[in-house]
């Protein structure tokens, strides 16, 4: 009977450690989400707009519609 009590105690200890580990991971993940996103590099949005403009222009989506 003594072995059963020790095994049960060990199971409780392991379940407690698992619960503490789950809580720690949840706290770390919530902290990671609070980190500010990376700031954009100046000029990247303008370069992207220009790139898409010229891509549309060469596909004929811009310019021909206005002339017709």
């Amino acid at each position: 009977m003594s072995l059963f009590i020790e095994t049960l105690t060990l199971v409780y200890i392991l379940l407690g450690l698992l619960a503490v580990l789950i809580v720690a991971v949840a706290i770390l993940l919530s902290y990671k989400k609070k980190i500010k996103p990376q700031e954009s590099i100046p000029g990247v949005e303008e370069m992207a707009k220009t790139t898409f403009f010229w891509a549309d222009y060469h596909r004929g989506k811009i310019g021909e519609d206005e002339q017709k």
Side-chain angles (χ1 to χ4, degrees):
M1 197 74 173
S2 171
L3 182 63
F4 177 73
I5 294 174
E6 292 174 4
T7 305
L8 186 61
T9 304
L10 180 63
V11 169
Y12 285 147
I13 290 172
L14 290 175
L15 287 176
L17 288 174
L18 180 64
V20 168
L21 182 65
I22 290 172
V23 169
V25 169
I27 290 172
L28 288 175
L29 288 176
S30 68
Y31 175 73
K32 186 176 181 181
K33 290 180 183 178
K34 292 180 183 177
I35 296 176
K36 295 180 182 178
Q38 185 178 9
E39 294 182 16
S40 63
I41 300 171
V44 171
E45 292 180 18
E46 290 80 11
M47 288 190 300
K49 289 178 186 176
T50 304
T51 302
F52 286 115
F53 169 79
W54 286 113
D56 288 341
Y57 176 79
H58 289 295
R59 289 184 190 128
K61 294 182 181 179
I62 298 176
E64 293 180 13
D65 294 337
E66 296 171 359
Q67 294 175 357
K68 290 183 182 179

